[in-house]
Amino acid sequence: MIRMSKPVRRLLFGLLFLVIILALAWPKIRPTPSSEASGAPAPAGVRPLAVDGLVVAAERLSDRMFTTGSIRANEEIEVHSEISGKITSIHFQEGGGVRAGDLLVKINDSELQAQLRKADYRVTLASDREIRQKQLYEKGGISLEEYEATLNELNVLRADVELIQAQIAKSEIRAPFDGIVGLRQVSEGSYISPATAITTLQDVDPVKIDFSIPERYAQRVAVGARIEFRVEGVVESLVGTVYALEPRIEASTRTLLLRARSPNPGRRLLPGAFADIVLVFDEIEDAIAVPAIAIIPELGGKKVFVLENGKASPRIVETGIRTEDRVQILSGLAPYDTLLVSGVQLLRPGLPVQVQVLPP
């Protein structure tokens, strides 16, 4: 039998006591995997975590994209004359409104008027002759051939009158549509030709908005799609409707050109202005949408945490369309659920939470 000294026995007893203490304390002090990796429930007695919450509610959600474009007049022309001549009068005010058919500029037509009077006299003489020849023909005094020659001569003279009248009409420059005239580039007495720009005419109510979208969105847009846009100097957001699409993709930019129309009462929108545009692809009524920061990606899916009995409870969710900061939830959440939207990376199943509900 081995006999140990008293100091050795004390040392052995101390080591044995220490081993027993460590064995009893090990279940409480051993390290645990993170809640995100293991999904293990929180141990009892943990202090509640202060987080923000949001009561889930159905709302209107729009699937949209952002782009830029330009404002165009509904109708716009540069006013020119069809003939050369001297301006005798100007009948519009710069920047003023005109109606379709209003006279804008009159060109000297005195020579044409003289030709018209001469032609009218010749028509009158030929008409009297045709009447007499017709009476003679009916009595057998002349042949049908002689009468038809007289009638043809009359018709030729009438056509000459119509030609002169058409030339006179070209000396009167009229507005082809309702609109606003621009600044004039000529004065009374100016000699102009068809190449001379007189002024501009624009119909600015409604206005058109031209913009392009990447070709990957070409199949998602159609006539009738709604846009929202903003321009410099106009505080509120404006709306328009797509009414035409270019039937091809622009090869150099791989984009599709679209054109929308928007009302412009008060002429606040000016052609040529730059526009920030939101194209709305789809609008969903009664959609459940949550902040993107509340969604936690997982292998093979996504989850969120909701409040249940004062504790964090995970929910597997299926997502839909995404906007700038919100994501549509197709399944996994219901109205009136309290969604936890802050500290989501610290949450784990069963963790007590103290929720401050944010306003909707």
Side-chain angles (χ1 to χ4, degrees):
M1 183 176 181
I2 299 175
R3 301 181 64 87
M4 293 181 291
S5 62
K6 189 173 183 180
V8 174
R9 287 198 303 271
R10 288 180 178 176
L11 179 59
L12 290 176
F13 281 122
L15 290 174
L16 181 59
F17 180 75
L18 181 59
V19 169
I20 294 173
I21 294 299
L22 289 175
L24 293 175
W26 177 252
K28 295 183 179 181
I29 65 174
R30 64 181 177 181
T32 59
S34 64
S35 59
E36 291 76 21
S38 66
V46 176
R47 183 178 179 180
L49 178 66
V51 294
D52 293 330
L54 190 67
V55 177
V56 175
E59 62 183 72
R60 185 176 185 177
L61 185 65
S62 298
D63 185 10
R64 56 184 62 192
M65 69 157 292
F66 297 85
T67 184
T68 58
S70 298
I71 306 297
R72 294 174 55 95
N74 184 44
E75 302 290 349
E76 179 179 8
I77 63 167
E78 191 173 59
V79 180
H80 290 260
S81 171
E82 293 186 69
I83 61 174
S84 298
K86 185 176 71 174
I87 294 177
T88 58
S89 58
I90 295 176
H91 298 267
F92 66 88
Q93 294 291 329
E94 295 173 288
V98 295
R99 293 287 187 180
D102 285 354
L103 180 63
L104 302 179
V105 173
K106 177 64 178 175
I107 297 175
N108 182 20
D109 64 349
S110 57
E111 183 177 345
L112 292 173
Q113 292 291 348
Q115 292 179 10
L116 180 61
R117 288 193 296 271
K118 180 180 178 180
D120 284 338
Y121 293 145
R122 295 177 65 183
V123 167
T124 300
L125 292 174
S127 179
D128 291 341
R129 183 183 176 190
E130 185 270 337
I131 293 174
R132 291 193 298 269
Q133 293 289 81
K134 184 178 182 181
Q135 291 173 348
L136 288 173
Y137 168 69
E138 290 174 348
K139 295 178 180 179
I142 60 173
S143 66
L144 176 61
E145 183 180 357
E146 291 177 304
Y147 170 70
E148 287 181 343
T150 302
L151 180 61
N152 287 339
E153 181 182 356
L154 174 61
N155 290 335
V156 169
L157 293 174
R158 285 173 174 169
D160 289 340
V161 170
E162 292 177 358
L163 177 60
I164 297 171
Q165 289 174 337
Q167 292 174 329
I168 291 174
K170 291 181 180 180
S171 71
E172 298 178 346
I173 304 173
R174 298 182 179 273
F177 52 82
D178 297 353
I180 308 298
V181 290
L183 305 180
R184 61 185 174 93
Q185 308 299 320
V186 296
S187 300
E188 289 187 9
S190 299
Y191 185 86
I192 62 173
S193 70
T196 305
I198 298 173
T199 186
T200 60
L201 176 63
Q202 301 180 85
D203 173 15
V204 295
D205 186 15
V207 293
K208 298 173 181 176
I209 306 98
D210 285 356
F211 62 99
S212 298
I213 61 173
E215 64 176 325
R216 65 179 179 273
Y217 295 111
Q219 302 303 318
R220 300 190 60 191
V221 67
V223 171
R226 187 170 65 90
I227 68 168
E228 300 171 1
F229 65 99
R230 290 182 177 273
V231 297
E232 194 72 26
V234 179
V235 177
E236 68 271 20
S237 178
L238 306 168
V239 297
T241 304
V242 174
Y243 76 92
L245 292 77
E246 189 71 34
R248 66 183 181 90
I249 299 293
E250 179 60 44
S252 60
T253 59
R254 301 301 177 189
T255 57
L256 175 67
L257 179 62
L258 290 82
R259 181 168 289 174
R261 186 181 284 120
S262 177
N264 186 28
R267 293 157 47 188
R268 295 183 302 168
L269 303 175
L270 300 178
F274 178 85
D276 288 309
I277 299 171
V278 178
L279 174 60
V280 181
F281 292 118
D282 191 18
E283 290 187 323
I284 304 171
E285 301 291 344
D286 298 328
I288 294 179
V290 302
I293 59 173
I295 298 177
I296 304 171
E298 286 192 324
L299 185 62
K302 300 171 185 175
K303 73 175 181 181
V304 297
F305 278 95
V306 297
L307 178 66
E308 287 187 358
N309 300 321
K311 298 179 180 179
S313 176
R315 295 272 186 90
I316 302 300
V317 294
E318 180 184 358
T319 59
I321 64 174
R322 177 184 292 266
T323 66
E324 286 184 87
D325 57 355
R326 300 180 73 77
V327 178
Q328 180 192 12
I329 302 299
L330 300 177
S331 64
L333 284 179
Y336 307 110
D337 286 341
T338 300
L339 176 71
L340 306 183
V341 297
S342 68
V344 293
Q345 297 301 326
L346 302 177
L347 297 174
R348 56 187 185 275
L351 178 69
V353 289
Q354 183 178 355
V355 180
Q356 179 180 357
V357 178
L358 301 176

